[in-house]
Amino acid sequence: MSTLTFTHIGGPTALLEVEGWRLLTDPTFDAPGRTYSFGWGTSSRKTAGPALSVEEVGAVDAVLLSHDHHADNLDDAGRAMLAGVPTVLTTVPGARRLGAPAQGLHPWEATTLTHPDRPTLTVTATPGRHGPVGAQVLVGAVTGFGLTWEGQEHGAVWVTGDTVLTSDVRRVPERLDVGTVVVHLGGVRFPTTGPVRYTMTVVEGRELCRAVRPRTVLPVHHEGWSHFLDGPAALQRPELAPDGGTTVWADPGRPTAVVV
């Protein structure tokens, strides 16, 4: 039996510790107050800082980066820390932009992390779409990550990354036996693009979890930025997991233990 220690740092950023591995998702460590441009007339203000600094997080084995081109997933301080990380896994175009040590993965492509004193960790890229049909041309590619290792009892740990609820995302459990979901929410929307959403809302997150039926749901990417328009719904900390499952709205900076 394995135990995942999950520490939500803020926004999409979380530290995942399991079987000696330390993985960080979407590093965002800038101070609050600044407004960032996301292109095509869109922008967002960072309203909350990280619960832990880069120094407090310490050394990590890998960064799981859903995409590199939006500051709410990789800001300046997060980008600077990548130089000290041995492995950065992200999208194929993202790896081209970032250069070494970034490695790009196509959807359903897998790679392994190895260490003599730990079980081999397999990381599989999962599909995502950061907006409506056709949005990838303007918004860019995104990816999620499935984590599996020998001795795992309750299914993969799946980090959805920034995505809306698509048919490909719904079908992830057909190829990946999921036990724990780190689900990106926020219902991202911008005034210049009207009602179009770029990430899942709480309602869509619940719908996905009803299809996946994980044991544990860990919501992230729902606070700390002005474009997270589903924030009030998230503040009510609703149950997203299906019957028999558990939703953990982790307080930033406080480690949570999850049996995986």
Side-chain angles (χ1 to χ4, degrees), residues 5 19 28-30 45 57 67 73 83 95 112 133 139 148 156 161 167-168 182 186 225 229 234 237-238 259:
T5 300
E19 297 288 354
T28 55
F29 290 97
D30 284 359
R45 182 172 55 87
V57 170
H67 58 299
N73 296 85
T112 56
V133 174
V139 182
T148 56
S167 57
D168 285 342
V182 181
W225 291 80
L229 296 185
R237 300 193 167 198
V259 175

Side-chain angles (χ1 to χ4, degrees), residues 114-132:
T114 61
H115 188 281
D117 300 322
R118 305 170 195 163
T120 296
L121 185 67
T122 299
V123 183
T124 303
T126 60
R129 192 181 74 219
H130 205 0

Side-chain angles (χ1 to χ4, degrees), residues 165 170 201-212 240:
L165 186 56
R170 292 176 192 270
T201 64
V202 163
V203 171
E204 289 165 331
R206 181 184 294 113
E207 183 179 344
L208 175 64
C209 292
R210 293 297 188 267
V212 175
L240 304 181

Side-chain angles (χ1 to χ4, degrees), residues 92-120:
V92 170
R96 285 197 295 264
R97 286 187 292 263
L98 291 170
Q103 176 183 346
L105 298 174
H106 294 284
W108 296 116
E109 185 178 359
T111 190
T112 56
L113 304 179
T114 61
H115 188 281
D117 300 322
R118 305 170 195 163
T120 296

Side-chain angles (χ1 to χ4, degrees), residues 47-136:
T47 60
L52 300 174
S53 67
V54 171
E55 292 73 23
E56 288 170 326
V57 170
V60 298
D61 298 294
V63 164
L64 307 178
L65 180 60
S66 68
H67 58 299
D68 68 300
H69 50 283
H70 293 152
D72 63 317
N73 296 85
L74 183 66
D75 59 17
D76 291 346
R79 190 176 295 269
M81 77 162 290
L82 295 185
V85 177
T87 302
V88 178
L89 301 178
T90 188
T91 64
V92 170
R96 285 197 295 264
R97 286 187 292 263
L98 291 170
Q103 176 183 346
L105 298 174
H106 294 284
W108 296 116
E109 185 178 359
T111 190
T112 56
L113 304 179
T114 61
H115 188 281
D117 300 322
R118 305 170 195 163
T120 296
L121 185 67
T122 299
V123 183
T124 303
T126 60
R129 192 181 74 219
H130 205 0
V133 174
Q136 183 168 326

Side-chain angles (χ1 to χ4, degrees), residues 4 36 76 125 130 142 180 207 228 231:
L4 168 70
Y36 300 76
D76 291 346
H130 205 0
V142 295
T180 301
E207 183 179 344
F228 291 168

